[in-house]
Amino acid sequence: MRQLEFWPDYGGALLHEDGAAVPLDVLGLPPDLIEAATDWLARYDDARLEPETRDDAWIAEGRAIFERLRHALNEQATELVDWEGYWEPPASEAT
């Protein structure tokens, strides 16, 4: 099974494979999902993840995008991995 890492950063890449960025538009994803992920990533800032300046709404949006991507990629026999450990719902929220 192919494995992609969910790894947002300033460079505009959201998914990576073996350390290399994978453009969303080559994965056969729905256009609305690509647009949502691209819009969310455009607002990336490390400060949104820091305890002092944490942006819970932005993180929740990222988690929702992670789940949508995970589902869409799973249908293509591709596993999506939370490379940073921020994007999967906390165990208390998982169902």
Side-chain angles (χ1 to χ4, degrees), residues 1-91:
M1 177 177 266
R2 183 179 186 186
Q3 189 176 71
L4 297 178
E5 300 165 340
F6 188 91
W7 172 12
D9 208 341
Y10 292 106
L14 181 59
L15 303 181
H16 298 78
E17 184 173 31
D18 298 324
V22 177
L24 295 174
D25 61 354
V26 302
L27 295 171
L29 298 168
D32 67 313
L33 178 52
I34 293 172
E35 182 178 350
T38 302
D39 290 348
W40 176 80
L41 185 59
R43 294 179 275 128
Y44 181 82
D45 187 328
D46 286 338
R48 292 179 183 262
L49 299 169
E50 298 298 325
E52 311 80 45
T53 54
R54 183 178 170 96
D55 185 339
D56 289 325
W58 181 82
I59 291 170
E61 186 179 351
R63 286 180 177 157
I65 289 169
F66 176 86
E67 286 302 316
R68 288 181 64 197
L69 284 168
R70 176 188 278 180
H71 178 75
L73 292 168
N74 192 15
E75 292 179 354
Q76 300 177 25
T78 299
E79 178 184 18
L80 186 60
V81 176
D82 179 3
W83 186 80
E84 297 175 300
Y86 293 114
W87 310 112
E88 290 191 80

